[in-house]
Amino acid sequence: MTPGHGIRPLADTVHVSATLDKAAAENFPVAPAFLPRAWRDGLTAVYGYARLVDDIGDGDLAPGGHDAVLLGLDPAAVDDRLAMLDAFEADLRRVFGGTDGPPRHPLLQALQPVVRTHGLTPEPFLALIEANRQDQRVARYETYADLVGYCELSANPVGRLVLSLTGTSTPERIRRSDAVCTALQIVEHVQDVAEDLGRDRIYLPAEDLRRFHVTEAQLAAPSAGASVRSLIAFETERARELLNEGTPLVGSVHGRLRLLLAGFVGGGRAALRAVTAAGFDVLPGPPKPTKSGLLREVAAVLRTAPRKG
C-alpha cells in the first residue's frame, strides 16, 4: 500500500497476494530472503507488475472482473485483453507522474515508490505491455530471429530492471543479461509447448518445425514422437548456449547479487536438465526441476562463473 492512499479493502489484499504467490512456480528465485530488504521489495514489485501484465495478456486474471474495476473499466472488460492492456498502460503512466492522479491498481501503487527510489524509466515496463499486445496479434513465429525479437520485449526488460534496481547496469552486463533472459524465455517456451498450443500459440520457430518435419498436429499429441523430441532437443541446446553466453554476468558482480544472478542462470539450467531427463517429451506437461537439482545447478554456476572486477 502506498502512503496517502488509505487502506485498501481486504479483497484487494487477497487479490494481490494471489498474483505474487505465483512466484513460487517460476524456474528461478524471484526475491530470495538473503537479499537486502530494499532489493526484495523492489524485485517483488517488479515481479508483481510483470506477472499481472502477463496474466492480462494470457487471460489468466481472477474471475469476477476485479482487475478491470481497479483499472477503471467495467468488469466485463476483463475479457477484452487489448482494452485491459490499454488501461494498464494508462495506470503505468500514473506511476511516472500522469496528470490524472495516482495509480489505481494496488500492484502499480506498490511499484511507484520503487520507481522513484531507483530512478527507473518507463521503457522496460512499456516493453512488457507491448509484448503482451503482440501476443494478441501474433500466434506463430516464422524464424528464430523473429522469436528473439519477441524476447527482447517479453523477457530482456526484466533483467535490465534487476540491474537498475541493484545499481549495477553497464553495457556489458546488459548484453549478458539479455542473453540470460532470452534463454530463460526460450526455456519456458520449451517447457510449455502444450499449454501454449492450448492458447493457440506456438513459440517454436516455424522454420525449425519444417526442419524436423514436425506438424502442429504432432505438437497436440499426448506424448512426443521422435521428430518432436529432436526438435525440443535442438531448442534446448539453443537455450543452453545462450545461458552459457550470459553466465559471465554472474562473475562480474559480488556478494548477494552474485548469488541472485546465479539463481537465475542455475534455474534455467536446472529446467533444461529436467527437460533432458524427460527425454525431451514436454507434451504431457512441463518437466520441472527438483529443489535439490536447482541448488546443484546454482552451486555449479557459482563455482564456474569467471570472476571479473
Side-chain angles (χ1 to χ4, degrees):
M1 182 180 67
T2 303
H5 292 292
I7 298 175
R8 303 293 304 187
L10 179 61
D12 284 4
T13 304
V14 174
H15 190 71
V16 168
S17 296
T19 300
L20 296 177
D21 286 348
K22 294 180 181 181
E26 302 292 346
N27 284 324
F28 48 84
V30 171
F34 61 76
L35 293 177
R37 177 64 182 270
W39 287 8
R40 294 203 313 272
D41 289 348
L43 291 168
T44 299
V46 166
Y47 175 80
Y49 174 89
R51 182 68 270 163
L52 181 58
V53 72
D54 280 355
D55 286 349
I56 292 172
D58 290 340
D60 282 344
L61 294 170
H66 190 54
D67 286 291
V69 173
L70 287 169
L71 293 173
L73 299 176
D74 185 273
V78 73
D79 295 322
D80 185 340
R81 299 179 192 180
L82 287 173
M84 286 289 293
L85 289 168
D86 288 346
F88 192 66
E89 179 177 334
D91 212 30
L92 173 68
R93 295 191 183 279
R94 296 183 187 102
V95 170
F96 288 91
T99 59
D100 59 341
R104 299 170 180 174
H105 198 288
L107 284 170
L108 289 175
Q109 291 172 10
L111 183 66
Q112 188 168 46
V114 173
V115 163
R116 290 173 174 170
T117 298
H118 297 277
L120 303 180
T121 62
E123 287 76 17
F125 298 101
L126 290 169
L128 294 174
I129 294 175
E130 191 56 36
N132 279 276
R133 286 198 180 103
Q134 185 165 313
D135 276 333
Q136 312 314 309
R137 303 189 301 266
V138 181
R140 307 289 189 275
Y141 290 85
E142 175 61 27
T143 69
Y144 178 64
D146 293 338
L147 184 66
V148 168
Y150 169 74
C151 294
E152 289 173 359
L153 295 173
S154 68
N156 297 2
V158 176
R160 295 183 178 211
L161 284 167
V162 171
L163 294 177
S164 295
L165 285 169
T166 56
T168 55
S169 292
T170 67
E172 175 67 7
R173 285 178 179 145
I174 289 171
R175 185 176 74 83
R176 300 288 187 182
S177 172
D178 286 352
V180 170
C181 291
T182 293
L184 292 175
Q185 182 75 86
I186 292 174
V187 170
E188 287 193 11
H189 292 162
V190 166
Q191 289 176 299
D192 295 341
V193 170
E195 179 182 332
D196 290 335
L197 189 60
R199 303 180 193 275
D200 192 30
R201 297 177 189 164
I202 296 178
Y203 294 103
L204 305 171
E207 63 182 5
D208 295 345
L209 268 69
R210 291 193 296 270
R211 174 179 177 178
F212 290 92
H213 308 288
V214 171
T215 65
E216 292 192 16
Q218 287 173 300
L219 295 180
S223 62
S227 58
V228 172
R229 291 173 189 249
S230 296
L231 169 63
I232 297 301
F234 177 74
E235 306 299 349
T236 295
E237 185 56 31
R238 266 184 168 159
R240 183 175 288 109
E241 289 174 359
L242 277 171
L243 280 176
N244 290 341
E245 179 184 339
T247 296
L249 173 67
V250 178
S252 75
V253 299
H254 305 281
R256 288 177 279 188
L257 179 57
R258 186 167 183 267
L259 185 55
L260 175 69
L261 298 183
F264 295 162
V265 175
R269 289 184 175 179
L272 291 175
R273 188 175 292 275
V275 170
T276 303
F280 304 105
D281 185 2
V282 297
L283 300 188
K288 294 289 187 180
T290 63
K291 186 174 182 180
S292 61
L294 171 61
L295 293 175
R296 282 195 301 271
E297 293 294 342
V298 171
V301 171
L302 289 170
R303 286 195 307 271
T304 59
R307 290 180 181 270
K308 294 183 179 180

